[in-house]
């Protein structure tokens, strides 16, 4: 029997669709390593990632098999060719999830939720714990919408209750929170997060630019990053009061990469607007203003256009395999370097380290016998 990394997916949106289709692609083309940072992790290829359970609040998705649900509701074409995929998750039924604070005002304009309460009866928690145990989930993958503080904390507790790893892809601080980290450490369970740093996304590119200013002796005075897109993530973020942790996550990811000091008023980073016709395409506009030798001005501007959801999936495919490898080895502590390499808001103890150092330490751990 082949070894697999058995995942449970919390939120079957566009990012989950890209992950599923990516697994389907690499299953159909096991020799193709295009777009993979780590073709093999702990003996697991992308084709060895097995979705075995899923939950959502959208009535259009609940009750469907996972492969069909990936195109249901408000999900968009994420740019992965559909004629070259092996379907995955066809035997997995999408279960109902608690709404809690996972479905905000803007989100509810576009979907009908199967659960409309902010509280969860214990019998529902017991049901979901039983679903996790019955399906053999080893890693829970959190794809809830931005701003889902209560729901993310609830699912993190479910992971602890059921003894599974937790990969937190959204900007709710779990891996960065010392109390949560201590609880996962005590259980020897991997906790990887927070807030996915897309494979070649605006945050990673902005970090590289900020680091270049430091490395080359240029003083960075002011910088901004403006992002627009047309998927449900951007639509949800029109609700401004859900963005507090998102702005902190993106801003700290950039400022941590710069060796000098930046006044808060000279940094503006975060989602800017929803543009429907962009679909799953994301556009980022980055500007850095600085001073070089003898105070000479240096200004830099760039635009980045990427497929938003596949850019995320290229990171998650590594995160879940790292979590499973950590489980196999009983070495949950390695997750801090995975968090620093793959996520915008890792634990503060490693956040200031360079991406290169995080990658070096992660690879050293992965290459251990």
């Amino acid at each position: 029997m082949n070894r697999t990394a058995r995942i449970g997916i919390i939120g079957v949106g566009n990012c989950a669709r890209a992950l599923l289709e990516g697994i389907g692609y690499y299953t159909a083309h096991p020799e193709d390593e295009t777009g993979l940072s780590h073709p093999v992790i702990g003996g697991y290829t992308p084709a060895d990632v097995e979705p075995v359970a899923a939950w959502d609040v959208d009535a259009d998705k609940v009750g469907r098999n996972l492969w069909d649900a990936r195109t249901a509701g408000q999900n968009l074409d994420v740019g992965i060719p559909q004629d070259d995929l092996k379907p995955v998750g066809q035997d997995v039924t999408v279960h109902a999830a608690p709404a809690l604070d996972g479905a905000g005002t803007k989100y509810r304009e576009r979907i009908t939720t199967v659960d409309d309460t902010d509280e969860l009866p214990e019998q529902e928690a017991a049901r979901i714990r039983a679903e996790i145990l019955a399906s053999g989930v080893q890693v829970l993958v959190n794809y809830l919408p931005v701003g889902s503080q209560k729901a993310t904390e609830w699912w993190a507790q479910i992971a602890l209750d059921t003894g599974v790893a937790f990969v937190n892809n959204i900007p709710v601080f779990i891996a960065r929170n010392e109390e949560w980290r201590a609880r996962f450490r005590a259980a020897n369970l991997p906790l990887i997060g927070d807030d996915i740093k897309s494979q070649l996304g605006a945050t990673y590119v902005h970090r590289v630019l900020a680091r270049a200013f430091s490395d080359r002796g240029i003083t960075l005075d002011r910088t901004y990053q403006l992002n627009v897109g047309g998927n449900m993530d951007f639509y949800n973020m029109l609700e401004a009061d859900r963005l507090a942790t998102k702005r902190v996550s993106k801003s700290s990811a950039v400022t941590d990469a710069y060796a000098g000091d930046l006044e808060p008023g000279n940094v503006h980073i975060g989602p800017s607007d929803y543009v429907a016709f962009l679909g799953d395409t994301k556009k980022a506009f980055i500007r850095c203003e600085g001073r070089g030798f003898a105070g000479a001005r240096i200004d830099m501007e760039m635009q980045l256009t990427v497929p938003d959801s596949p850019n995320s999936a290229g990171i998650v495919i590594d995160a879940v395999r790292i979590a499973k490898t950590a489980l196999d080895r009983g070495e949950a502590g390695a997750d801090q370097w995975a968090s620093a390499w793959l996520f915008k808001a890792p634990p503060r103890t490693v956040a200031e380290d360079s991406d290169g150092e995080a990658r070096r330490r992660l690879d050293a751990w992965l290459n251990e016998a």
Side-chain angles (χ1 to χ4, degrees), residues 3 23 29 32 61 72 139 145 151 162 167 177 185 211 248 263-264 266 274 281 286 289-290 312 345 358 361 363 368:
R3 296 165 69 240
I23 295 170
H29 303 278
D32 192 352
K61 298 173 185 175
V139 182
T162 52
V167 175
N177 182 286
R185 279 289 177 275
R211 177 69 65 178
V248 170
E263 292 295 327
N266 291 330
Y274 169 76
T281 296
I286 300 172
E289 301 177 3
S312 160
R361 295 201 184 200
D363 285 350
E368 289 177 0

Side-chain angles (χ1 to χ4, degrees), residues 210-249:
R211 177 69 65 178
F213 272 63
S214 294
D215 290 346
R216 306 306 290 178
I218 310 300
T219 296
L220 181 59
D221 292 323
R222 290 181 294 273
T223 188
Y224 68 64
Q225 179 196 130
L226 309 177
N227 301 288
V228 297
N231 56 30
M232 278 297 285
D233 190 33
F234 278 91
Y235 191 76
N236 172 65
M237 288 188 291
L238 289 175
E239 192 174 341
D241 60 2
R242 297 179 71 88
L243 291 180
T245 53
K246 182 70 172 178
R247 294 194 185 280
V248 170
S249 172

Side-chain angles (χ1 to χ4, degrees), residues 339-363:
S339 295
W341 171 241
L342 301 173
F343 289 80
K344 297 186 184 79
R348 295 299 303 180
T349 53
V350 298
E352 293 83 359
D353 287 290
S354 70
D355 291 293
E357 176 65 8
R359 172 70 185 263
R360 186 190 69 77
R361 295 201 184 200
L362 174 62
D363 285 350

Side-chain angles (χ1 to χ4, degrees), residues 154-326:
W154 186 86
W155 280 102
Q157 183 60 53
I158 288 289
L160 287 169
D161 293 344
T162 52
V164 304
F166 193 64
V167 175
N168 181 36
N169 296 318
I170 76 166
V172 167
F173 300 143
I174 302 294
R176 178 171 278 204
N177 182 286
E178 291 184 8
E179 181 179 343
W180 278 109
R181 284 189 64 73
R183 295 172 67 186
F184 274 84
R185 279 289 177 275
N188 199 28
L189 293 172
L191 170 62
I192 303 179
D194 300 305
D195 195 11
I196 203 79
K197 187 196 299 174
S198 292
Q199 196 168 12
L200 193 63
T203 295
Y204 181 79
V205 171
H206 205 164
R207 281 175 62 86
V208 170
L209 295 177
R211 177 69 65 178
F213 272 63
S214 294
D215 290 346
R216 306 306 290 178
I218 310 300
T219 296
L220 181 59
D221 292 323
R222 290 181 294 273
T223 188
Y224 68 64
Q225 179 196 130
L226 309 177
N227 301 288
V228 297
N231 56 30
M232 278 297 285
D233 190 33
F234 278 91
Y235 191 76
N236 172 65
M237 288 188 291
L238 289 175
E239 192 174 341
D241 60 2
R242 297 179 71 88
L243 291 180
T245 53
K246 182 70 172 178
R247 294 194 185 280
V248 170
S249 172
K250 288 180 72 67
S251 296
S252 66
V254 173
T255 56
D256 285 345
Y258 178 63
D261 295 322
L262 276 165
E263 292 295 327
N266 291 330
V267 181
H268 183 90
I269 299 173
S272 300
D273 210 347
Y274 169 76
V275 182
F277 68 74
L278 287 177
D280 195 54
T281 296
K282 174 180 176 179
K283 287 186 174 290
F285 304 89
I286 300 172
R287 179 175 174 83
C288 297
E289 301 177 3
R291 288 168 289 132
F293 184 72
R297 295 295 310 170
I298 295 180
D299 294 338
M300 178 184 298
E301 287 188 324
M302 67 165 293
Q303 176 184 317
L304 178 69
T305 302
V306 294
D308 199 20
S309 299
N311 214 15
S312 160
I315 294 297
V316 178
I317 200 70
D318 282 8
V320 297
R321 291 181 292 157
I322 291 167
K324 180 55 167 63
T325 301

